[in-house]
Amino acid sequence: MVFYKTPSLSGFTITARGVTALSVGLSATAFFIYMVYRQRKEDELLIRQCVVAERIFIDIKIPSSCIGAVIGRGGCNLKRAESEFYVRVSVNDAAGENSDRIITIRGLRESATEAEKFFKRLMEEELSVETLEYTIPRRMCGSIIGKNGSRIREMSRQSRTKILVTDSKDGKAVCRITGSPSNISYADGLIQQALTEGKDGGDNTVLYKMNVPEFVFPFPLISESGEEYFRVYVSAISPSGYVFIQLINEDSLKLDYLVDEMTDYYSMTYHADDELTLSDVSIDDFIAVKFSDDAGWYRAKVADISDGLIDVDYIDYGDSTRVSIDSCRKLRHQFTSLQRQSVCCRIKGVSLSSDEVWNESELQLIETLTHCSKWRELFCSLVETRGDCKIPTISFRDDNVSPTKDITEELIAVGVTGCSARE
């Protein structure tokens, strides 16, 4: 026999439906059980509605003139917002407009609002950029630059400005600070302090015939179901059927800092003319190369040399380009410790023959499905490493959409060259 504790009438309102139920002969106990059940269902519905209501989308329109600074090199500001505020961030073109971009933030109301403030602050700072420029004695340049450029990088990072020291005439040098007015004032104070201290910059020895550590897969993450997976970005796609991924881990931020330091260092014209200039180069040399789209400096490896031009592979992103030797510089030793951050992979179910390539429309489709260079997180599993070249095969899934997309299934569905359900 099951005994029920009869609830009191406190907290319940007997509606017309309840009165009808009693009038047709339902027992008081059965009626109260029904009321408790209905109240519980209403409470659960209310909780679900609250949770849904708290998860919001926020769109921020960003002018094209400052989208690069807001996103940051390599998407560093998008990564920072996701890690600090526990939100999802994506970047899309504004509907009907070619110039503006839309940053979409998805998350709990409080977190999304904080992320919105973060991006608006970055936009405001970029739109209010000013430049302060003045001359200093050339002999004092070392006091600002520091050993191997360490001091000027630290001052730039602390003040969130760009500080450059360039040669001038008559024994003078030009110090140029670019940033928001408040940040410029802070940077100027740091520079005046450095000049007062008058410390020498020290050694400027260049070591460039160096090796960069190969990419090594770390231990995978483990899901609740026991599945092993990695969190990744897709950074580049090759027409010959390969994708390049970057793992999302502590090295992601290290790469952002590395690019900032390289760009600051190689942008300074204070260096002696022959100190960083490449007079000759060999295949497989590691060098520093300026990327034309964002004026940043990146690590690259020489793939080929022909007709006075150099084919280089950006080892941290996977894309390639052809440049003249004049636009390359020797790679300093301090920029070689971080292992390569991109790895070439095959997508599970994709196998192109030697004479097959993806056409332009197929490349655009794959870039869209994988959010290539959009710095949106995907989940991948390591399927196998095949052949002497040790190129791993991976499977992708996209959790940014509902329902979750399996990338291979999407490619097979649209009939992309080389895609097959067999693997």
Side-chain angles (χ1 to χ4, degrees), residues 173-196:
V174 176
C175 181
R176 184 180 297 109
I177 312 170
T178 304
S180 66
S182 60
N183 290 341
I184 287 177
S185 178
Y186 182 35
D188 183 44
L190 295 175
I191 290 172
Q192 297 306 319
Q193 179 182 350
L195 292 173
T196 301

Side-chain angles (χ1 to χ4, degrees), residues 23-307:
S23 66
V24 297
L26 289 178
S27 69
T29 299
F31 173 73
F32 289 144
I33 291 174
Y34 162 76
M35 293 295 294
V36 170
Y37 172 81
R38 195 183 73 175
Q39 185 70 33
R40 182 178 300 169
K41 287 297 183 182
E42 290 175 352
D43 290 344
E44 289 175 354
L45 177 61
L46 180 61
I47 290 173
R48 286 198 299 270
Q49 290 173 341
C50 289
V51 171
V52 172
E54 284 297 312
R55 192 170 296 277
I56 62 173
F57 290 81
I58 298 177
D59 288 338
I60 310 172
K61 183 178 290 187
I62 309 293
S64 59
S65 60
C66 62
I67 187 64
V70 173
I71 293 175
R73 292 192 182 97
C76 63
N77 289 332
L78 304 184
K79 302 171 192 175
R80 178 181 171 186
E82 290 185 332
S83 63
E84 287 190 9
F85 304 113
Y86 301 99
V87 295
R88 291 286 181 88
V89 183
S90 60
V91 181
N92 303 287
D93 294 330
E97 300 180 22
N98 296 324
S99 57
D100 294 339
R101 303 288 291 278
I102 298 293
I103 288 182
T104 300
I105 305 168
R106 179 179 65 179
L108 297 179
R109 182 179 301 277
E110 183 177 355
S111 300
T113 302
E114 290 301 313
E116 179 188 22
K117 294 178 182 177
F118 169 71
F119 284 114
K120 286 186 174 180
R121 185 171 64 251
L122 291 175
M123 180 173 62
E124 291 169 359
E125 290 176 355
E126 182 64 17
L127 291 174
S128 63
V129 165
E130 298 180 3
T131 298
L132 174 64
E133 185 175 299
Y134 50 84
T135 59
I136 59 173
R138 192 180 189 282
R139 58 183 174 80
M140 299 299 293
C141 289
S143 302
I144 299 175
I145 294 171
K147 187 175 182 179
N148 297 331
S150 59
R151 188 160 195 174
I152 196 170
R153 289 195 301 272
E154 183 61 26
M155 289 190 296
S156 293
R157 184 177 296 115
Q158 286 183 17
S159 62
R160 299 177 66 187
T161 61
K162 185 173 184 178
I163 304 173
L164 292 179
V165 177
T166 59
D167 286 331
S168 185
K169 297 179 181 180
D170 304 324
K172 300 285 187 179
V174 176
C175 181
R176 184 180 297 109
I177 312 170
T178 304
S180 66
S182 60
N183 290 341
I184 287 177
S185 178
Y186 182 35
D188 183 44
L190 295 175
I191 290 172
Q192 297 306 319
Q193 179 182 350
L195 292 173
T196 301
E197 294 174 359
K199 292 184 178 179
D200 192 3
D203 180 27
N204 280 319
T205 303
V206 177
L207 301 173
Y208 73 100
K209 291 288 185 178
M210 304 299 297
N211 187 37
V212 178
E214 292 285 350
F215 178 91
V216 178
F217 272 102
F219 289 109
L221 303 171
I222 308 295
S223 68
E224 293 181 359
S225 62
E227 176 192 8
E228 296 184 350
Y229 70 96
F230 297 96
R231 298 166 56 234
V232 302
Y233 299 124
V234 174
S235 56
I237 297 175
S238 167
S240 55
Y242 298 103
V243 297
F244 291 84
I245 63 172
Q246 294 177 340
L247 264 65
I248 303 175
N249 54 24
E250 62 275 8
D251 281 350
S252 301
L253 288 179
K254 291 180 182 179
L255 176 60
D256 296 334
Y257 292 139
L258 174 68
V259 172
D260 283 342
E261 290 178 0
M262 287 185 63
T263 300
D264 290 341
Y265 181 80
Y266 289 103
S267 296
M268 292 187 295
T269 59
Y270 166 73
H271 308 293
D273 290 342
D274 61 348
E275 183 183 326
L276 297 172
T277 302
L278 285 169
S279 56
D280 65 271
V281 69
S282 304
I283 292 177
D284 291 337
D285 278 354
F286 291 97
I287 58 177
V289 179
K290 187 176 184 179
F291 188 56
S292 58
D293 286 0
D294 64 4
W297 285 83
Y298 298 86
R299 304 188 300 179
K301 186 177 182 180
V302 178
D304 195 14
I305 306 170
S306 62
D307 300 327

Side-chain angles (χ1 to χ4, degrees), residues 303-356:
D304 195 14
I305 306 170
S306 62
D307 300 327
L309 297 175
I310 306 172
D311 291 330
V312 298
D313 298 327
Y314 291 100
I315 62 175
D316 297 309
Y317 296 89
D319 37 1
S320 305
T321 191
R322 174 169 287 190
V323 296
S324 66
I325 193 170
D326 294 338
S327 62
C328 304
R329 296 291 183 268
K330 298 174 183 178
L331 185 65
R332 289 190 60 89
H333 180 265
Q334 71 261 34
F335 302 134
T336 63
S337 59
L338 183 66
Q339 73 172 14
R340 306 178 208 194
Q341 290 300 291
S342 72
V343 58
C344 179
C345 301
R346 296 173 62 250
I347 301 177
K348 178 184 177 183
V350 176
S351 180
L352 273 66
S353 63
S354 58
D355 58 346
E356 287 182 320

